[in-house]
Amino acid sequence: MTVEEIQNGQLFLIDKPLDWTSFDVVNKIRWNLRKAYKIKKIKVGHAGTLDPKATGLLIVCCGKMTKQIDLIQAEEKTYTGTIKLGATTPTYDLESEEDHHFAIDHISPEYIHQTTAQFLGEIEQFPPMHSAIKIDGKRLYELARAGETAELKPRKVQIKKFEITKIELPYVDFEIECSKGTYIRSIANVFGKALNSGGYLTALRRTKIGDYSVANSNNEVLDLTYFEQFSTQD
């Protein structure tokens, strides 16, 4: 790749590592590009946030490809993951400790499979209080960490597929195909309530965004030497 090719736009498919934020990945690639190609300024952005405790496909665009971010974000997404039933956490995932516990003795595999039907099609969901959505200029997770609350409004999302792939109580594995803006953490939380219990995510992985698959990811771009091998040939 040349400097001109970088400026004209590149798209990178990243398998986001666990505990990295989406911005960590963007900043790492931006730094690598600037360092390898001696570029003072380069636009770099991602097409859809992944939570720190999630892994999987993160699409990073640079140069003129950043103009395609909104189009990519609008694509359907596919996730796999695990819900732990019988407990909840404030963040609806492993970023916080369990705060409440519930019975699961009444939950059968049949009950679990039947309950997924409630989530198919167009549904309304509330975003997690610990999310990056802004209200009055402040992100929800900032308010939550400060012990403040905010009035959350439900959002309409589309769930095309909600399949249970494995049951080993209290853990339930799933695969979900959904529209832009769907919070899988919220689904885990409400799924637990729908089973007259509690639930939160213990694992989440995004496998597809539209026609882009995590199987085609290339994490070598997180290493500076990946770009240096091209830039030194210019």
Side-chain angles (χ1 to χ4, degrees):
M1 285 179 284
T2 64
V3 171
E4 184 178 9
E5 288 173 328
I6 294 295
Q7 297 285 9
N8 283 338
Q10 296 291 324
L11 185 149
F12 305 111
L13 304 184
I14 305 298
D15 186 349
K16 190 189 79 64
L18 185 67
D19 291 328
W20 283 48
T21 68
S22 299
F23 289 110
D24 287 339
V25 175
V26 168
N27 290 335
K28 177 65 172 176
I29 291 177
R30 181 188 293 113
W31 189 90
N32 284 352
L33 289 170
R34 291 178 61 184
K35 184 76 172 179
Y37 290 93
K38 307 296 190 292
I39 304 172
K40 289 186 177 181
K41 190 175 182 180
I42 178 71
K43 288 185 177 180
V44 183
H46 66 75
T49 302
L50 266 181
D51 293 328
K53 290 300 180 183
T55 64
L57 184 59
L58 183 73
I59 298 178
V60 178
C61 303
C62 74
K64 294 180 180 179
M65 276 300 297
T66 55
K67 296 179 180 179
Q68 303 298 315
I69 284 178
D70 287 344
L71 292 175
I72 297 171
Q73 285 180 326
E75 297 284 351
E76 288 186 347
K77 299 168 180 64
T78 302
Y79 297 88
T80 60
T82 303
I83 298 170
K84 181 180 179 181
L85 299 175
T88 58
T89 71
T91 56
Y92 303 170
D93 66 4
L94 287 173
E95 278 204 87
S96 55
E97 299 291 329
E98 294 181 358
D99 57 354
H100 296 98
H101 297 88
F102 307 85
I104 61 170
D105 295 344
H106 62 288
I107 299 177
S108 65
E110 292 76 20
Y111 190 16
I112 290 172
H113 285 289
Q114 291 170 3
T115 302
T116 61
Q118 301 177 24
F119 294 82
L120 294 174
E122 185 178 80
I123 65 171
E124 287 191 341
Q125 69 167 196
F126 289 90
M129 188 62 199
H130 290 261
S131 63
I133 292 175
K134 283 187 176 182
I135 292 183
D136 296 329
K138 288 189 176 181
R139 298 196 182 277
L140 283 178
Y141 65 77
E142 294 174 338
L143 295 174
R145 289 170 183 171
E148 301 178 29
T149 59
E151 183 179 352
L152 303 181
K153 296 181 179 180
R155 296 182 170 192
K156 290 184 178 180
V157 297
Q158 192 80 22
I159 309 299
K160 184 177 180 180
K161 175 183 178 181
F162 186 4
E163 178 182 339
I164 303 301
T165 57
K166 183 179 179 182
I167 299 174
E168 286 186 359
L169 291 176
Y171 298 100
V172 177
D173 292 354
F174 64 87
E175 181 176 46
I176 286 178
E177 294 178 15
C178 57
S179 65
K180 169 189 175 183
T182 304
Y183 280 94
I184 309 300
R185 283 185 289 150
S186 290
I187 290 179
N189 177 265
V190 178
F191 188 63
K193 291 179 180 178
L195 290 167
N196 293 306
S197 184
Y200 69 93
L201 281 179
T202 59
L204 183 65
R205 182 168 178 79
R206 186 159 64 196
T207 58
K208 293 187 69 178
I209 300 176
D211 292 329
Y212 299 104
S213 172
V214 71
N216 302 122
S217 61
N218 177 16
N219 280 25
E220 290 184 13
V221 300
L222 296 178
D223 186 348
L224 177 61
T225 57
Y226 175 85
F227 293 108
E228 286 180 333
Q229 68 178 313
F230 300 111
S231 61
T232 54
Q233 296 173 7
D234 296 343

